[in-house]
Amino acid sequence: MEARMESPRRWHRAALGLAAAAVATGLVVAATWVWASALFLDQTHTRALARLDLYSSNLAGALGRYQSVPTLLALRSDVIELFRRSRDPESRARANRLTETFNNLTEAEDTYFMDAEGLTFAASNWNSERPFVGHNFSYRPYFQDAMEGRLGRYFALGTTSGRRGYYFAYHVSADDQVLGAVVVKISLADIEASWTAKDEGVIVSDPHGVIFISSRPAWRFRSLAPLDDAARRAIAENRRYEAVDLRPLDIAERGQIGETADAAGARLLSISAADGGSAAEYLMVSREMPAAGWTVNVLASTDLARSQSLTAALVAGLACLITVLIATLIAQRRGRLVERIAYQRRASEELERRVVERTADLTAANLQLAREIGEREAAEADLRQAQDDLVQAGKLAALGQMSAALSHEFNQPLAAIRSYADNARLLIERERHAEAGENLSRIKTLTGRMAEISKHLMTFARKPRSELRPLRIAEVLADTLDFLRIRLERAGAEVTVIQADRSLQVRAGRVRLQHVILNLVANALDAMEGQDRPRIEIAVRQSDGKVVLALRDHGSGIDPNQIGRIFDPFFTTKDVGKGLGLGLSISYNIVKDFEGAIRAENHPDGGALFTVELPLLPAPAPVLEPA
Ligand code: ADP
């Protein structure tokens, strides 16, 4: 029941734990992504700034090499002379050769002379397919700047050559009169071609945001932002990008990073490919070059930073998952441990409960036992009381028997004495003194015999003392047989006593022990009633610290089926009025009082054998015969 209740709770807990782990992992992944992105984008930013420095100085160096060339040419006197005679065909031819020579020396793209109206009267490419000679470039700002006394600088798509170039121009003057301008055009294609880094783009844009130089050809002549009308007009006036469609790049702003007080930040952009392919993300850093009139931009790809951030986030997520896994394992083990402890506690509680139950059972059993012992003791006390009563009754019965026997014993001699006395009186009256004397001596004999009986009665009638004393068994036996002599004689019985040591002593009560022997002899005589010569054998011996008195008769023996009951009170096989069934029962108790035992068996050669065992008194002490 408990286990079934626990299961859904555990599932609930597991689901909660899983959700918590997922949320935690998500948070860790997101936080790591944000943190790593910032870190790696910052690194990209730093790298891009370094590249920007490099490209800027690269460009500045390239331009710087040519910057002073037109000035140097314009100051030469032969050049001034050629400008003076710019309409003379021979001078023009010389001028063409001069420009060509210079152009070859400086490795510029084109070198040419323009007169005050802007007409090109000599050019290094005079001999090429599309020579500048005869073209008027007065619309170019570099010409206007030069004519006004400044160094003209400009970049534009050549209207004649169709090639992009950077122009330097300087005025030629004589006698405070400006005669025209010397122009040097350099190519930017070579520089552009040297920018081959794959993970970054380099672009140079004009003040309107039109890309003039780009390491990616597709971005060339695209604008970083849509051009407004004013910008379009200005571009058209200078004919900077004649016959080019200036479309804006598809740029989405993603934000700005790394802005500080003294360093411009970087713009995060995504630029879609011209063919509508997937957009790429870039980090753009820019630097204006005011002298050149353009802005250099480095577009560093964020792919590496993004993939590094993704890796970091994944690693963090994985670490988080592993941590969760380990935590789960630990929690599970802990859970199992807790369960085991709980199980052990339950087991020990169960054990304690059983011990308590068993103890209660034992206590109940003990109480029951104590009660039974009490009942048994009460029953024993009752029995003892009953036995005491029976002993009393037995004594009374014996007294009755003895009274009957005594009256019989005394009445016969008394009747004989009376008739002897009557006869003696008659014989004395008749003076037959001798016969009278005979009668008197017979009377004397009879009274002597009666005195003898009386003497035994005195002994027998002694108040039985409850205390025990040392007794010689031989003497007790002799007294008892003496007391029984008349009955034995009448029955014609023969009693044989066998005893080697007449000094064996026991601790007993004299009268009670006599009663036991008397009873055994009387029972033996009863069993042999009708026999002409009943025989009784009595043996007294010592055995194992005991005195053994064995009495055997030659009667009918005891019925084996009844041998176990003959010591029971009131068990008798004799006729009514003859036996009370108390003799053996009383004898049994008397012997027990003397710490001895009595048992009955049948002799193998017939007749009953009764054995009385009493503890032997070790040293024969002086026997104090009662007075
Ligand atoms: P009672 O002699 O009054 O019957 P006892 O207790 O002395 O009572 O004897 C009980 C019975 O034991 C007798 O009735 C008799 O059946 C049996 N018994 C006792 N002694 C002998 C014996 N010597 N031989 C045969 N039976 C005996």
Side-chain angles (χ1 to χ4, degrees):
M1 190 67 183
E2 203 175 323
R4 252 184 289 151
M5 292 276 287
E6 233 167 58
S7 189
R9 208 180 304 151
R10 197 180 296 165
W11 277 113
H12 187 65
R13 225 168 39 205
L16 266 182
L18 211 66
V23 168
T25 307
L27 283 176
V28 166
V29 167
T32 310
W33 167 258
V34 169
W35 169 79
S37 292
L39 180 77
F40 292 122
L41 284 178
D42 193 47
Q43 286 179 0
T44 309
H45 184 202
T46 308
R47 250 195 326 271
L49 284 174
R51 303 291 289 172
L52 185 63
D53 275 347
L54 196 71
Y55 292 124
S56 301
S57 56
N58 186 229
L59 279 168
L63 297 183
R65 265 196 293 147
Y66 294 95
Q67 189 176 325
S68 49
V69 173
T71 313
L72 290 172
L73 272 176
L75 294 174
R76 281 170 61 126
S77 54
D78 57 338
V79 172
I80 297 169
E81 194 53 39
L82 286 173
F83 266 82
R84 270 205 187 126
R85 293 193 276 155
S86 63
R87 292 174 196 273
D88 174 22
E90 198 198 330
S91 284
R92 285 190 186 184
R94 275 189 30 226
N96 276 338
R97 281 195 294 276
L98 185 77
T99 53
E100 190 176 10
T101 308
F102 263 90
N103 201 61
N104 288 342
L105 282 172
T106 56
E107 292 180 337
E109 175 141 304
D110 296 298
T111 305
Y112 51 99
F113 296 162
M114 295 168 78
D115 68 12
E117 271 73 48
L119 186 72
T120 306
F121 65 91
S124 54
N125 60 0
W126 61 276
N127 211 10
S128 70
E129 270 178 32
R130 297 171 75 185
F132 290 171
V133 180
H135 287 275
N136 192 317
F137 299 122
S138 60
Y139 53 86
R140 292 295 202 194
Y142 62 81
F143 175 72
Q144 290 149 20
D145 285 346
M147 293 306 281
E148 282 165 21
R150 298 189 294 271
L151 174 68
R153 325 169 49 125
Y154 195 60
F155 58 91
L157 183 64
T159 44
T160 309
S161 64
R163 293 168 62 163
R164 290 167 299 155
Y166 198 94
Y167 303 84
F168 289 106
Y170 200 73
H171 67 278
V172 176
S173 56
D175 309 329
D176 291 335
Q177 197 191 347
V178 177
L179 301 172
V182 178
V183 184
V184 173
K185 178 189 178 189
I186 58 173
S187 167
L188 297 169
D190 295 343
I191 295 177
E192 190 185 62
S194 70
W195 297 342
T196 52
K198 276 215 169 117
D199 57 344
E200 66 194 11
V202 189
I203 54 176
V204 175
S205 54
D206 74 5
H208 299 299
V210 177
I211 298 166
F212 185 63
I213 311 173
S214 169
S215 58
R216 309 262 166 107
W219 295 348
R220 218 171 279 155
F221 300 118
R222 309 290 295 276
S223 62
L224 292 171
L227 297 170
D228 56 17
D229 290 345
R232 285 189 183 278
R233 252 197 319 275
I235 291 165
E237 247 169 49
N238 299 331
R239 298 169 68 182
R240 202 175 216 168
Y241 315 111
E242 211 170 43
V244 174
D245 179 18
L246 302 174
R247 282 179 297 122
L249 274 175
D250 186 2
I251 291 178
E253 289 281 346
R254 290 243 180 119
Q256 194 99 19
I257 65 161
E259 252 178 324
T260 58
D262 40 30
R267 288 163 68 194
L268 210 52
L269 317 165
S270 81
I271 303 178
S272 302
D275 53 13
S278 62
E281 191 190 51
Y282 297 95
L283 190 135
M284 188 169 92
V285 286
S286 309
R287 178 171 303 157
E288 274 183 49
M289 289 176 66
W294 62 31
T295 303
V296 183
N297 309 278
V298 169
L299 288 128
S301 168
T302 58
D303 283 358
L304 183 67
R306 293 300 186 196
S307 68
Q308 281 174 327
S309 305
L310 188 67
T311 308
L314 287 179
V315 166
L318 207 67
C320 196
L321 278 181
I322 289 170
T323 309
V324 165
L325 205 72
I326 290 171
T328 309
L329 281 178
I330 290 172
Q332 263 182 1
R333 291 191 67 174
R334 227 182 76 86
R336 272 206 294 276
L337 196 71
V338 166
E339 246 170 53
R340 201 180 314 146
I341 288 169
Y343 174 77
Q344 281 171 355
R345 204 190 50 228
R346 277 202 300 277
S348 74
E349 279 172 1
E350 173 68 15
L351 194 70
E352 272 173 34
R353 195 180 58 74
R354 282 195 199 159
V355 166
V356 167
E357 268 179 19
R358 200 57 60 84
T359 311
D361 288 352
L362 276 176
T363 312
N366 273 351
L367 282 174
Q368 174 72 17
L369 204 64
R371 207 163 36 239
E372 281 174 12
I373 288 171
E375 284 169 6
R376 192 70 52 85
E377 278 173 354
E380 271 176 18
D382 287 353
L383 194 65
R384 210 172 297 127
Q385 183 60 47
Q387 279 175 348
D388 287 351
D389 292 351
L390 284 174
V391 168
Q392 197 58 33
K395 282 175 187 168
L396 289 174
L399 198 67
Q401 275 186 335
M402 211 146 37
S403 304
L406 277 177
S407 58
H408 180 76
E409 290 293 331
F410 282 103
N411 279 342
Q412 268 192 333
L414 278 177
I417 287 169
R418 186 181 290 136
S419 66
Y420 282 137
D422 285 346
N423 278 346
R425 191 170 47 83
L426 286 174
L427 288 171
I428 289 170
E429 280 173 7
R430 288 174 198 164
E431 308 236 328
R432 289 157 66 180
H433 296 287
E435 286 170 79
E438 244 172 73
N439 275 6
L440 286 174
S441 62
R442 280 196 188 112
I443 288 170
K444 187 190 168 200
T445 308
L446 282 172
T447 52
R449 187 176 157 82
M450 285 174 74
E452 188 83 352
I453 291 169
S454 170
K455 185 183 148 203
H456 283 289
L457 279 176
M458 285 294 285
T459 312
F460 205 69
R462 274 176 58 87
K463 193 174 148 203
R465 292 189 191 165
S466 55
E467 74 205 74
L468 307 179
R469 48 172 54 214
L471 293 175
R472 272 212 180 98
I473 194 107
E475 285 170 13
V476 179
L477 182 61
D479 284 349
T480 313
L481 291 177
D482 208 20
F483 179 73
L484 282 167
R485 205 178 61 217
I486 294 169
R487 191 175 165 192
L488 288 168
E489 277 173 7
R490 200 184 302 132
E494 181 192 328
V495 178
T496 319
V497 177
I498 307 162
Q499 52 185 344
D501 186 355
R502 292 182 56 87
S503 66
L504 295 179
Q505 285 194 104
V506 292
R507 184 176 292 280
R510 179 183 291 273
V511 178
R512 282 181 286 170
L513 189 53
Q514 280 179 342
H515 181 85
V516 172
I517 298 169
L518 192 89
N519 192 50
L520 292 179
V521 173
N523 277 345
L525 289 177
D526 285 346
M528 294 184 289
E529 203 171 18
Q531 289 186 11
D532 288 341
R533 194 106 185 113
R535 279 182 295 135
I536 296 173
E537 283 117 40
I538 300 173
V540 180
R541 63 179 194 276
Q542 175 189 341
S543 166
D544 286 341
K546 287 174 194 152
V547 174
V548 181
L549 185 146
L551 189 146
R552 187 212 162 171
D553 62 47
H554 294 266
S556 53
I558 311 156
D559 184 345
N561 293 324
Q562 296 169 339
I563 204 160
R565 297 165 55 204
I566 57 171
F567 292 103
D568 291 350
F570 298 111
F571 177 80
T572 180
T573 55
K574 293 169 190 171
D575 296 338
V576 182
K578 271 204 151 183
L580 275 173
L582 281 172
L584 284 180
S585 162
I586 291 166
S587 299
Y588 182 90
N589 280 296
I590 290 170
V591 172
K592 237 180 97 186
D593 284 347
F594 301 159
E595 289 167 23
I598 180 169
R599 56 175 193 276
E601 62 203 294
N602 282 318
H603 197 273
D605 301 328
L609 172 64
F610 283 82
T611 311
V612 177
E613 284 180 358
L614 293 169
L616 172 72
L617 269 186
V623 180
L624 298 170
E625 281 293 326

